[in-house]
């Protein structure tokens, strides 16, 4: 219990209990000290409760001889001297700290202030209490335990490691400008030290597209661009060549969505007899479509996540922000949470729930009618290779025939088929070694493609005939000249003639596909536009309110913008890893095919790695030449090749 003349801490200043008034105390403290220039000290009194102060010395007889003001002055004067680096108090703190650390049993144990003072100097003179407390609190050697509980002031000895770390931070703070200036000089020479990495964060934010400003880049005379920032990070070895900045630079997450999809609701579904076939790559683990033919109708069954993802729900908004699943060589970032595969992928369980398109075709493979149904389907999985082995079987041959007839129909209507070799790029997650392999083109892949196009055409026709506001995809008919060369050069020349696709709510022809109207509906697990289409079709089937045209346009635009960002990130990422592959395989030689001579520098294509290059070399179109890379600029995604 505090008594008159007790020394306490009030508002982080020493105070003296002048009087006791029941359960309250009148304390005196120095609010402002006297200065050499003549400014007088200001003392204040305040009636406080015991919980408002921290007891420092409960029994104090030293202050009874003089005034409270005088005693407080003496306490503060002693504190000034105790805080001096060469004071006896500082020496006592060092010695006591060394003593405590030498005893393993007390090295990190809290110790009460009064016990600490006993170790430091034995008997305490009350006038010294505030000074010793202040010196301990300000020291590197001891840490004040806060908040103070039960009126006990406790300190914990710091370890030598903690002390060194604190001293280093204080030194860096005190000499911040000098240290930074030295770092800038090192950075100009690209000879930074390991500890300099803390300064490089602002350059990383520019490299990742999170900021277009960097004071540091200005200081070293480098333009503030993502490419320049990337170059600095490589030159200083903050980044390895395997660091891919493009998903983040385009505002995309490299991780899959995490909001889990609930299982499909219980609702009326049609059980489809027979078997449908999910044909995909052998390594695929997310089959989202299956096809079948019952002798009269082509059936295209599509994964049905819209059964659980309602318009403007949390999951819907997440998918809209992502736009599409991101496919980059080092992995996949799914638009919907990976748990969606458990309930919505086709063929992973004995029966699969789907949104199905029942398509009636005429003799020339025109879509006569399309019906949309919520279904339960038996699905058998096939790899492309295994499907091709059974292409003449009674089950699969009709699908191959339909695909061939539909391809012929589309080509007669002006469709453009561009065949440029593609490659598959993979990155080992541990070693970061890049592998590039040619992508095979099995016949079964054409079967799946034609079935998906028929589903898109049928869905567009269904939406148009029923007045459903719908995402229609169109493309102007390309103007292809008569003098298209043969071979790869012709494929590249044709590609240059293609127009950009458009997405809107009014059906228009898709010239590139040779279709009078078209929509994408076959990948709702992977494309937001397809998910919107499914939501709208399901609402129509259930006679629920449809999304109107204006709202549909807004959602389509948001999803399309995000999807385009994904495509750009994928394209940049593929180029990044292709160049890393070349860096990992120096001196490698390739066959490059001349595909364009209309520009100042001829254009070549290297099928082995799917890379288009410029090369100052005279040759004929489609002629091959041996080349190897002579220069690579990873930050600008550029390379220079030379003939061998």
């Amino acid at each position: 219990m505090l008594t008159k003349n007790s020394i306490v801490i009030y508002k982080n200043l020493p105070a003296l209990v002048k009087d006791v008034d029941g359960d309250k105390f009148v304390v005196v403290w120095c609010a402002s000290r006297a200065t050499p220039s003549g400014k007088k000290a200001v003392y204040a009194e305040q009636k406080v409760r015991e919980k408002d102060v921290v007891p420092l010395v409960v029994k104090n007889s030293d202050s009874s001889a003089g005034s409270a003001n005088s005693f407080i002055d003496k306490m503060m004067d002693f504190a000034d001297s105790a805080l001096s680096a060469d004071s006896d108090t500082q020496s006592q703190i060092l010695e006591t700290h060394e003593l405590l650390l030498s005893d393993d049993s007390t090295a990190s144990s809290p110790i009460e202030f009064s016990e600490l003072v006993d170790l430091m100097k034995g008997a305490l003179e009350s006038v010294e209490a505030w000074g010793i407390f202040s010196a301990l609190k300000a020291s590197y050697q001891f840490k004040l335990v806060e908040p103070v509980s039960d009126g006990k002031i406790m300190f914990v000895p710091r370890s030598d490691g903690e002390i060194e770390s604190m001293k280093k931070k204080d030194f860096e703070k005190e000499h911040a400008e000098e240290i930074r200036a030295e770092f800038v000089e090192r950075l100009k020479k690209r000879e930074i030290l390991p500890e300099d990495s803390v300064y490089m964060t602002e350059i990383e934010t520019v490299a990742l597209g999170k900021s277009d400003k960097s004071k540091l880049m200005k200081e070293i005379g480098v333009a503030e661009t993502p490419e320049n920032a990337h170059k600095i990070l490589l030159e200083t070895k903050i980044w390895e060549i395997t660091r891919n900045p493009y998903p983040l630079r385009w505002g995309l997450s490299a991780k899959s969505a995490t909001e889990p999809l609930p299982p499909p609701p219980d609702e009326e579904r049609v059980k489809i007899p027979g078997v449908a076939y999910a044909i995909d790559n052998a390594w695929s683990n997310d089959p989202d479509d299956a096809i079948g033919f019952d002798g009269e109708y082509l059936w295209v069954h599509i994964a049905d996540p819209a059964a659980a993802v309602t318009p403007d729900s949390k999951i819907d908004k997440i998918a809209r922000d992502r736009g599409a699943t991101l496919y980059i060589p080092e992995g996949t970032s799914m638009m919907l949470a990976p748990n969606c595969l458990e309930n919505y992928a086709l063929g992973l369980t004995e029966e699969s729930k789907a949104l199905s398109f029942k398509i009636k075709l005429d003799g020339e493979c025109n879509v006569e009618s399309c019906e949309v149904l919520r279904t339960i389907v038996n699905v058998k999985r096939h790899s492309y290779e295994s499907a091709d082995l059974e292409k003449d079987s009674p089950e699969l041959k009709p699908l191959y025939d339909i695909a061939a007839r539909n391809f012929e129909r589309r080509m007669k209507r002006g469709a453009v088929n561009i065949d440029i070799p593609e490659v598959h790029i993979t990155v080992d997650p541990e070693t970061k070694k890049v592998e590039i392999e040619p992508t095979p083109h099995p016949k079964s892949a054409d079967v799946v493609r034609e079935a998906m196009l028929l589903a898109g055409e049928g869905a567009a026709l269904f939406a148009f005939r029923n007045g459903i506001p719908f995402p229609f995809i169109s493309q102007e008919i390309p103007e292809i000249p008569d003098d298209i060369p043969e071979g790869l050069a012709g494929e590249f020349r044709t590609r240059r003639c293609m127009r950009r696709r458009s997405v809107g709510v009014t059906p228009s022809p898709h010239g590139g596909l040779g279709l009078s109207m078209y929509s994408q509906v076959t990948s709702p697990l992977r494309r937001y536009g397809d998910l919107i289409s499914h939501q709208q079709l399901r609402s129509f089937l259930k006679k629920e309110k449809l999304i109107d045209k204006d709202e549909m346009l807004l959602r389509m635009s948001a999803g399309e913008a995000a999807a385009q960002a994904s495509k750009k990130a994928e394209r940049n990422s593929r180029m990044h890893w292709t160049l890393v592959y070349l860096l990992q395989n120096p001196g490698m030689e390739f066959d490059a095919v001349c595909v364009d001579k209309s520009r100042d520098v001829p254009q070549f294509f290297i099928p082995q790695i799917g890379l288009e290059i410029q090369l100052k070399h005279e040759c004929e179109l489609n002629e091959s030449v041996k080349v190897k890379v002579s220069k690579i600029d990873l930050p600008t995604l550029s390379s220079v090749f030379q003939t061998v």
Side-chain angles (χ1 to χ4, degrees):
M1 178 68 178
L2 296 177
T3 61
K4 185 177 179 180
N5 293 326
S6 291
I7 303 171
V8 297
I9 303 172
Y10 178 61
K11 293 185 176 180
N12 292 320
L13 290 169
L16 197 65
V17 177
K18 184 178 180 181
D19 204 358
V20 179
D21 184 5
D23 60 348
K24 293 187 177 180
F25 306 89
V26 179
V27 297
V28 180
W29 79 99
C30 182
S32 177
R33 298 189 72 186
T35 63
S37 61
K39 182 180 177 182
K40 293 184 177 180
V42 177
Y43 297 91
E45 289 188 11
Q46 179 71 42
K47 185 177 286 190
V48 300
R49 294 166 296 181
E50 189 167 7
K51 70 174 187 176
D52 297 326
V53 298
V54 175
L56 200 56
V57 178
V58 176
K59 295 181 179 180
N60 170 30
S61 58
D62 294 354
S63 64
S64 57
S67 68
N69 296 0
S70 174
F71 185 76
I72 292 172
D73 276 343
K74 290 178 181 178
M75 282 199 298
M76 299 183 80
D77 286 342
F78 180 80
D80 289 342
S81 65
L83 289 166
S84 176
D86 58 355
S87 69
D88 290 341
T89 303
Q90 295 296 326
S91 299
Q92 292 162 353
I93 289 174
L94 290 171
E95 292 170 3
T96 305
H97 178 263
E98 186 177 345
L99 175 66
L100 289 170
L101 255 61
S102 66
D103 186 346
D104 291 339
S105 64
T106 61
S108 59
S109 302
I111 181 169
E112 196 169 350
F113 175 63
S114 59
E115 295 178 21
L116 198 51
V117 173
D118 284 344
L119 288 173
M120 287 173 59
K121 57 175 297 172
L124 172 69
E125 294 182 25
S126 298
V127 75
E128 299 174 342
W130 171 250
I132 295 174
F133 170 82
S134 300
L136 285 167
K137 185 179 178 183
S139 73
Y140 290 114
Q141 286 72 29
F142 291 92
K143 176 183 178 181
L144 176 66
V145 178
E146 295 182 293
V148 175
S149 59
D150 299 328
K152 290 184 179 180
I153 298 173
M154 309 290 289
F155 284 90
V156 176
R158 289 191 175 100
S159 68
D160 290 337
E162 289 177 297
I163 292 170
E164 285 304 311
S165 177
M166 290 177 66
K167 286 182 177 179
K168 183 180 177 182
K169 286 181 181 178
D170 286 349
F171 179 85
E172 290 173 350
K173 186 176 181 180
E174 184 179 349
H175 299 83
E177 291 186 11
E178 178 186 339
I179 292 171
R180 194 176 191 280
E182 292 174 354
F183 159 69
V184 170
E185 289 304 311
R186 290 195 296 273
L187 182 59
K188 287 178 180 178
K189 301 174 185 176
R190 306 297 192 267
E191 297 175 351
I192 67 171
L193 301 173
E195 58 265 30
D196 291 336
S197 60
V198 297
Y199 294 104
M200 301 296 286
T201 303
E202 72 172 69
I203 295 181
E204 286 191 278
T205 62
V206 176
L208 296 173
K210 295 180 179 180
S211 173
D212 59 359
K213 302 292 181 185
S214 168
K215 180 181 177 183
L216 194 52
M217 292 177 72
K218 276 187 177 180
E219 286 183 76
I220 63 174
V222 176
E224 299 155 277
T225 67
E227 294 78 14
N228 285 341
H230 189 174
K231 184 178 181 181
I232 292 170
L233 293 166
L234 290 176
E235 290 174 342
T236 55
K237 295 184 169 49
I238 295 295
W239 281 9
E240 299 291 334
I241 60 171
T242 53
R243 177 66 182 270
N244 175 12
Y246 297 101
L248 286 176
R249 194 178 290 180
W250 286 104
L252 305 171
S253 172
K255 296 181 179 179
S256 297
T258 56
E259 187 68 24
L261 270 69
D266 291 330
E267 58 183 348
E268 185 177 347
R269 289 181 181 268
V270 178
K271 180 73 167 65
I272 306 300
V275 177
Y277 301 93
I279 305 172
D280 209 335
N281 290 296
W283 43 261
S284 171
N285 64 354
D286 59 347
D288 58 358
D289 56 67
I291 55 178
F293 183 66
D294 63 7
E296 184 177 3
Y297 295 99
L298 170 69
W299 287 88
V300 180
H301 308 287
I302 307 298
D304 192 18
V309 183
T310 55
D312 240 16
S313 62
K314 183 177 181 180
I315 297 175
D316 178 70
K317 290 177 180 176
I318 292 171
R320 189 185 314 162
D321 288 342
R322 287 175 173 261
T325 288
L326 177 68
Y327 293 98
I328 53 178
E330 60 265 50
T332 299
S333 173
M334 294 179 63
M335 180 183 77
L336 299 175
N339 89 303
C340 68
L341 301 179
E342 300 172 12
N343 295 307
Y344 297 99
L346 303 185
L348 299 187
T349 56
E350 187 174 340
E351 291 185 335
S352 300
K353 295 178 179 179
L355 190 69
S356 300
F357 298 85
K358 181 182 178 183
I359 304 168
K360 178 70 172 176
L361 303 171
D362 66 14
E364 295 183 353
C365 224
N366 294 301
V367 177
E368 287 188 347
S369 66
C370 178
E371 187 178 353
V372 183
L373 303 166
R374 291 168 292 169
T375 60
I376 297 175
V377 191
N378 291 319
V379 177
K380 179 181 178 181
R381 298 186 66 187
H382 265 300
S383 68
Y384 288 133
E385 292 76 16
S386 66
D388 278 350
L389 290 174
E390 298 183 28
K391 62 184 176 65
D392 294 322
S393 66
E395 296 82 13
L396 294 184
K397 188 176 187 304
L399 296 173
Y400 279 75
D401 291 342
I402 289 171
R405 286 192 292 121
N406 193 55
F407 179 76
E408 183 181 357
R409 171 185 73 109
R410 292 192 303 104
M411 296 306 292
K412 286 179 179 178
R413 296 176 63 175
V416 179
N417 184 54
I418 299 174
D419 186 13
I420 296 175
E422 297 180 349
V423 296
H424 182 57
I425 306 172
T426 56
V427 180
D428 185 287
E430 294 184 3
T431 65
K432 300 299 181 183
K433 183 175 176 56
V434 184
E435 296 289 345
I436 301 181
E437 298 176 340
T439 301
H441 195 101
K443 192 67 179 175
S444 55
D446 295 333
V447 173
V448 174
R449 179 195 64 201
E450 295 301 323
M452 298 306 111
L453 291 176
L454 284 166
E457 185 180 8
L461 183 66
F462 180 86
F464 174 68
R465 289 176 175 175
N466 290 285
I468 302 172
F470 210 62
F472 295 100
I473 298 173
S474 60
Q475 186 182 52
E476 289 185 38
I477 297 173
E479 296 181 5
I480 300 177
D482 295 331
D483 60 344
I484 292 290
E486 296 180 349
L488 267 180
E491 303 296 334
F492 276 85
R493 180 67 182 89
T494 302
R495 190 183 70 177
R496 286 173 55 193
C497 298
M498 303 304 293
R499 310 290 182 86
R500 290 177 62 87
R501 75 170 201 163
S502 297
V503 182
V505 292
T506 302
S508 298
H510 195 298
L513 295 176
L515 301 175
S516 58
M517 64 177 68
Y518 176 65
S519 181
Q520 288 184 319
V521 294
T522 57
S523 295
L525 293 176
R526 300 185 284 116
R527 290 191 299 244
Y528 183 69
D530 299 42
L531 183 62
I532 299 177
S533 300
H534 277 231
Q535 290 172 340
Q536 199 78 324
L537 291 171
R538 287 182 59 86
S539 293
F540 177 80
L541 296 177
K542 296 170 72 175
K543 296 180 171 54
E544 295 176 347
K545 183 180 178 181
L546 299 173
I547 302 170
D548 63 37
K549 286 187 176 182
D550 290 341
E551 182 64 22
M552 176 65 71
L553 278 171
L554 288 173
R555 296 186 187 186
M556 286 163 48
S557 297
E560 183 70 8
Q564 288 302 314
S566 288
K567 288 180 181 178
K568 290 173 181 175
E570 289 172 355
R571 184 167 60 248
N572 290 156
S573 295
R574 286 174 58 84
M575 178 60 79
H576 169 85
W577 288 110
T578 300
L579 297 183
V580 171
Y581 175 82
L582 293 172
L583 288 168
Q584 291 177 346
N585 297 274
M588 198 170 183
E589 297 181 2
F590 306 94
D591 289 321
V593 181
C594 182
V595 294
D596 187 2
K597 295 177 61 179
S598 65
R599 308 178 189 183
D600 293 338
V601 180
Q603 195 87 5
F604 286 75
F605 178 67
I606 305 175
Q608 187 178 344
I609 54 176
L611 183 65
E612 298 172 44
I613 65 170
Q614 291 183 325
L615 187 67
K616 291 183 178 180
H617 181 77
E618 290 297 324
C619 64
E620 298 301 317
L621 289 177
N622 294 315
E623 185 179 334
S624 291
V625 60
K626 281 282 185 186
V627 299
K628 66 178 181 179
V629 69
S630 59
K631 181 181 178 182
I632 294 173
D633 190 341
L634 197 58
T636 60
L637 296 179
S638 61
S639 58
V640 176
F641 280 76
Q642 64 184 34
T643 56
V644 177

